[in-house]
Amino acid sequence: MKNVTIKDVAKAAGVSPSTVSRVISDSNRISEETKELVRRTMRELGYHHNAIARSLVTQKTNTIGLVMARPTQQAFANPFFSGIIQGIAAVTQKEHYSLILSSTGDYREEQEETLKLFRNRRVDGVILMSSRRNDELIDQLIKSGYPFVLIGRSPEHEGIPIVNNDNIKDTYDTVAFLLKRNYKKIIALSGPEEYIVSQDRAQGYIQALREHGNMDPEIICVADFKFEDAYQGVLDYIKENRKKFDAILAFDDMLALGAIRAIQEQGLRIPEDVGIIGFNDEPMLSYLKPALSTVRLPIHRMGEEAARMLIKMLNDDSYKGEEIILSTELIIRDTVR
Amino acid sequence: MKNVTIKDVAKAAGVSPSTVSRVISDSNRISEETKELVRRTMRELGYHHNAIARSLVTQKTNTIGLVMARPTQQAFANPFFSGIIQGIAAVTQKEHYSLILSSTGDYREEQEETLKLFRNRRVDGVILMSSRRNDELIDQLIKSGYPFVLIGRSPEHEGIPIVNNDNIKDTYDTVAFLLKRNYKKIIALSGPEEYIVSQDRAQGYIQALREHGNMDPEIICVADFKFEDAYQGVLDYIKENRKKFDAILAFDDMLALGAIRAIQEQGLRIPEDVGIIGFNDEPMLSYLKPALSTVRLPIHRMGEEAARMLIKMLNDDSYKGEEIILSTELIIRDTVR
DNA sequence: TAAAAATGTGCAAACGTTTCAATATCATAA
DNA sequence: TTATGATATTGAAACGTTTGCACATTTTTA
């Protein structure tokens, strides 16, 4: 019941361990007959390579890490992250990489955990699933020369490998669209402003309003990208201001869901009294009634591209990654007139 | 820029590598002064242990694998799995285990991948996120003596470590509840019957009807635990049978969502004309209108318990795991009268 | 005061690979 | 023939730990 090692195979086949190793890597310095013999022996003995031992000498783990960069609870509650993971998993699996998940309670801890992943040689690289202002983790990774790809962007770090959509432009366009549909007073509903994605969308929103010169921007910022927070936030806003808006642009579908709930509860009609557009296109919400209009992000694809890029970086020293900006699509369903 | 190893620390501190190693493991055979000295040296040199090298000798990876046992796409589309992962991640993180994600396109492939995880010594154990009839993977794992915990159950394998709810009973109770609320003709809406969870719920449903002796069971089986399939399935059923039911028990919230959509589209009212209950209590759906009534599973907790059990098995040879059956809670919201 | 026990440390082997450099074998060219 | 170069194979070191055993020193016991 002991593990079959390369040495066992070597002995049984009457060759040296180095030969067996070369057969495994299909080196062209080994004759066909020997290869055949060794392969047969491996099969007979039930040999399987030991990834640990291999990693020790090659200094590669063939593993990439996935760091949420959000509190676990929060991250998993939002289907956006599941989509990203799914995309990443598809690629890692195909490329024979393992995927390890790192997710902790808070940002500080996560930063530490991520660095440990590298220092303890558990991963060859990581994918960061979101970024915040002055992201120290990114500083550290760059300083240490640890390979990573960011899903999102970091204004303070020019030229790092990222996969993203153009949030400023996408938001700008969406606001412009709402104005064209004759909505007069559009407010924004954002998650925590420490995230770059919140900032970028806010910027696009503000810019669009300014350029169309017809009103002041107004952003409701809630504590988390969750419907509970959005629900409460919008409810409070309505009560305080006695309405005073006819459209909400939510920076996330979950937020949009909360907004819908609050609005309906106040007896306002969607989309007649208030129009709503979200972000992400969480599939489930297209089954809502009214079905949510939203800016569709190629979420799955973003995960794929990030994984592909990272793996390429790991295998080609001359490749330092790039900036991939994917385009989005405005999906209009029931929540705008 | 080279990696600081135990040897470097040893040299710098003027002790032997074994002493350094013993300081790391906080052996009580080392004097306090030596420990202090070595620790200081480690800090000064910026030492971090190499998990790979450690694993090679200890024959432990401190890593557990997560196998979906569902096609990737399907698994991630259902929030149930995110919840489980979240629970598992919480525990692994606390116990300093790494979590690796295995998910492939199909069952066959996944089986192979899972065994590889063990054979290539990447994991110490795995958590299986669901089971099917005559699950061969489970056979193999048992045969090879690889530690695992199943979330769910497998009728063919008595006494294996599992975390589950009592699906038969829970479904039975739910049907009984609907009957008490005076629903007369309850049909079931199930996912693929190859999954044990589908079978168990079907059994509970059938049993409840039989014992209350008032009608024949009728189960709509759709291809996947997804709303699209449920929507179409229920639509077809209504059209074929010109209704003929006043309640649907969906074996999953996603299915319930699809059912709601189909029913509303046919101009039937919920809950007056048709009552609906789902399974899982996906949080998002409580924000639906009408808010979904559902059997709440302690999803997060299930993940936690599974991880805890597995880790205990890995660290205590005498502990072979157990059967943890968690209780559920019927949450009544708007979709039943 | 000698023997026994406790305490602290080091040596060297082992974990299972990969890979550099060296060697053995054989056909080819001069 | 003999040197020349391919071709095929091997030996041994290295990757960074842990750990059983031996050794040396100190303390305790009788």
Side-chain angles (χ1 to χ4, degrees):
Chain A
M1 249 331 37
K2 214 183 137 287
N3 306 318
V4 183
T5 74
I6 266 191
K7 289 181 188 169
D8 300 326
V9 175
K11 196 165 295 173
V15 299
S16 78
S18 24
T19 300
V20 176
S21 174
R22 287 204 169 81
V23 171
I24 292 171
S25 60
D26 201 21
S27 156
N28 58 4
R29 313 264 328 158
I30 302 289
S31 70
E32 271 312 318
E33 306 98 79
T34 307
K35 280 186 185 176
E36 204 30 70
L37 166 65
V38 171
R39 293 209 179 101
R40 182 156 19 93
T41 314
M42 291 198 302
R43 249 176 278 124
E44 283 167 10
L45 299 188
Y47 171 80
H48 295 278
H49 76 260
N50 182 318
I52 301 285
R54 182 179 285 178
S55 290
L56 186 58
V57 28
T58 60
Q59 307 276 37
K60 289 199 155 271
T61 59
N62 267 258
T63 301
I64 71 177
L66 197 52
V67 341
M68 304 288 185
R70 297 269 174 100
T72 313
Q73 182 102 32
Q74 186 182 338
F76 278 109
N78 199 312
F80 175 76
F81 288 88
S82 314
I84 296 278
I85 296 180
Q86 191 185 336
I88 295 172
V91 173
T92 51
Q93 185 231 328
K94 193 163 128 269
E95 302 286 337
H96 302 292
Y97 268 73
S98 294
L99 182 59
I100 114 169
L101 223 63
S102 169
S103 93
T104 62
D106 70 64
Y107 178 66
R108 201 88 232 155
E109 204 179 338
E110 176 134 287
Q111 198 171 326
E112 216 31 67
E113 286 300 319
T114 306
L115 291 171
K116 259 196 200 159
L117 241 34
F118 281 107
R119 303 209 254 242
N120 296 345
R121 311 236 116 55
R122 284 188 189 281
V123 300
D124 297 333
V126 299
I127 295 177
L128 268 37
M129 301 235 285
S130 92
S131 56
R132 54 181 63 213
R133 259 200 306 245
N134 297 310
D135 203 310
E136 285 181 36
L137 178 52
I138 297 180
D139 287 337
Q140 296 251 31
L141 293 176
I142 293 174
K143 199 179 73 190
S144 309
Y146 294 140
F148 72 98
V149 170
L150 170 63
I151 295 180
R153 72 180 196 105
S154 177
E156 296 91 359
H157 303 96
E158 276 309 315
I160 62 174
I162 65 167
V163 174
N164 203 10
N165 58 304
D166 187 339
N167 277 307
I168 300 177
K169 173 178 170 303
D170 293 340
T171 313
Y172 180 98
D173 291 348
T174 308
V175 171
F177 169 86
L178 282 170
L179 291 170
K180 202 166 296 165
R181 286 272 174 122
N182 217 25
Y183 284 105
K184 298 299 185 196
K185 173 72 184 172
I186 305 165
I187 64 174
L189 177 56
S190 169
E193 47 184 347
E194 76 230 45
Y195 294 111
I196 302 299
V197 61
S198 303
Q199 284 183 30
D200 284 354
R201 289 178 186 169
Q203 186 179 334
Y205 161 75
I206 293 169
Q207 202 169 308
L209 290 189
R210 288 270 152 78
E211 288 184 19
H212 294 78
N214 53 357
M215 67 181 187
D216 289 331
E218 194 143 3
I219 303 180
I220 305 177
C221 250
V222 301
D224 214 336
F225 285 99
K226 302 179 78 168
F227 25 64
E228 291 90 338
D229 297 334
Y231 169 74
Q232 200 54 52
V234 171
L235 212 58
D236 292 350
Y237 184 87
I238 294 177
K239 285 179 176 161
E240 255 172 55
N241 300 272
R242 297 283 358 113
K243 184 152 178 300
K244 214 181 79 179
F245 63 91
D246 61 358
I248 294 186
L249 177 55
F251 293 174
D252 183 288
D253 281 350
M254 295 300 106
L255 300 181
L257 181 57
I260 291 178
R261 196 69 193 301
I263 287 166
Q264 288 182 329
E265 208 166 86
Q266 289 300 301
L268 300 169
R269 289 163 311 163
I270 298 173
E272 296 80 0
D273 300 328
V274 180
I276 296 190
I277 295 186
F279 260 89
N280 285 357
D281 192 26
E282 160 54 27
M284 210 178 306
L285 300 187
S286 64
Y287 289 81
L288 212 68
K289 213 168 179 172
L292 182 64
S293 301
T294 188
V295 179
R296 172 183 293 166
L297 265 61
I299 298 181
H300 193 274
R301 173 112 186 278
M302 290 172 85
E304 284 180 352
E305 295 291 354
R308 246 197 288 276
M309 193 190 303
L310 181 58
I311 291 176
K312 190 167 171 201
M313 287 165 67
L314 296 177
N315 293 312
D316 174 358
D317 277 343
S318 71
Y319 178 68
K320 297 301 182 195
E322 59 196 295
E323 297 196 353
I324 297 184
I325 308 297
L326 299 172
S327 55
T328 60
E329 190 183 353
L330 184 55
I331 309 286
I332 296 305
R333 299 198 186 95
D334 307 341
T335 59
V336 290
R337 67 183 173 229
Chain B
M1 252 324 39
K2 215 184 136 288
N3 305 317
V4 182
T5 75
I6 265 192
K7 289 182 189 170
D8 300 326
V9 175
K11 195 166 295 173
V15 298
S16 79
S18 25
T19 299
V20 176
S21 174
R22 290 199 172 89
V23 171
I24 292 172
S25 60
D26 202 20
S27 157
N28 57 4
R29 314 262 328 160
I30 302 289
S31 69
E32 270 312 317
E33 306 98 77
T34 307
K35 280 187 184 176
E36 203 30 71
L37 166 65
V38 170
R39 291 208 180 103
R40 183 158 15 96
T41 315
M42 291 199 301
R43 248 175 280 124
E44 283 167 9
L45 299 188
Y47 171 80
H48 296 277
H49 76 261
N50 182 319
I52 301 285
R54 180 179 286 177
S55 290
L56 187 58
V57 28
T58 60
Q59 308 276 39
K60 290 200 155 270
T61 59
N62 267 257
T63 301
I64 71 178
L66 197 53
V67 340
M68 305 288 184
R70 297 267 174 102
T72 312
Q73 181 103 32
Q74 186 182 338
F76 277 109
N78 199 312
F80 175 77
F81 288 87
S82 314
I84 296 279
I85 296 180
Q86 191 185 336
I88 294 173
V91 173
T92 51
Q93 185 231 328
K94 194 163 128 269
E95 302 286 336
H96 302 292
Y97 268 73
S98 294
L99 181 60
I100 113 167
L101 223 63
S102 170
S103 94
T104 62
D106 70 65
Y107 179 65
R108 200 90 232 153
E109 204 179 338
E110 176 134 286
Q111 198 171 326
E112 215 31 65
E113 285 300 318
T114 306
L115 290 171
K116 259 197 200 159
L117 242 33
F118 280 107
R119 303 210 254 243
N120 296 343
R121 308 238 118 53
R122 283 189 190 281
V123 300
D124 297 334
V126 299
I127 294 176
L128 267 36
M129 300 234 287
S130 93
S131 57
R132 53 181 66 213
R133 260 201 306 246
N134 296 310
D135 203 310
E136 287 181 35
L137 178 52
I138 297 180
D139 288 336
Q140 296 251 30
L141 292 175
I142 293 175
K143 200 180 72 189
S144 310
Y146 294 139
F148 72 98
V149 170
L150 170 63
I151 294 181
R153 72 178 195 106
S154 176
E156 297 91 358
H157 303 96
E158 276 308 314
I160 61 174
I162 65 167
V163 173
N164 203 10
N165 58 304
D166 187 341
N167 277 306
I168 300 177
K169 173 178 171 303
D170 294 340
T171 313
Y172 180 98
D173 291 348
T174 308
V175 171
F177 170 86
L178 282 170
L179 291 171
K180 201 165 297 164
R181 286 273 172 122
N182 217 25
Y183 285 105
K184 298 298 184 198
K185 171 73 183 171
I186 305 165
I187 63 175
L189 177 56
S190 170
E193 47 185 345
E194 76 230 46
Y195 294 111
I196 302 299
V197 61
S198 303
Q199 283 183 31
D200 284 354
R201 289 178 186 170
Q203 186 179 333
Y205 162 74
I206 293 169
Q207 203 169 306
L209 290 189
R210 289 268 152 79
E211 287 185 20
H212 294 78
N214 53 354
M215 66 180 189
D216 289 332
E218 193 143 5
I219 304 179
I220 305 177
C221 249
V222 301
D224 214 336
F225 285 100
K226 301 179 78 169
F227 25 64
E228 291 90 338
D229 296 335
Y231 169 73
Q232 199 56 52
V234 171
L235 213 57
D236 291 350
Y237 184 86
I238 296 178
K239 285 180 176 161
E240 255 172 54
N241 300 273
R242 294 286 357 116
K243 186 157 176 293
K244 215 181 71 175
F245 63 89
D246 62 359
I248 294 185
L249 178 56
F251 292 174
D252 184 288
D253 282 350
M254 295 299 106
L255 299 181
L257 181 57
I260 292 177
R261 197 69 195 300
I263 287 165
Q264 289 182 328
E265 209 166 86
Q266 289 299 302
L268 299 169
R269 288 163 312 160
I270 298 173
E272 295 81 1
D273 300 328
V274 181
I276 296 190
I277 295 186
F279 259 89
N280 285 356
D281 191 26
E282 160 55 26
M284 211 178 305
L285 300 188
S286 64
Y287 288 82
L288 213 66
K289 212 167 183 174
L292 182 63
S293 300
T294 188
V295 179
R296 173 184 292 168
L297 265 63
I299 299 182
H300 193 273
R301 173 110 186 279
M302 292 173 83
E304 283 179 352
E305 294 291 354
R308 247 196 289 276
M309 194 191 301
L310 182 59
I311 290 176
K312 190 168 171 202
M313 288 165 66
L314 296 177
N315 293 314
D316 174 358
D317 277 343
S318 72
Y319 178 69
K320 297 301 182 195
E322 58 196 296
E323 297 196 351
I324 297 184
I325 308 296
L326 299 172
S327 54
T328 61
E329 191 184 352
L330 183 56
I331 308 288
I332 297 304
R333 299 198 186 94
D334 307 340
T335 60
V336 290
R337 66 182 173 230

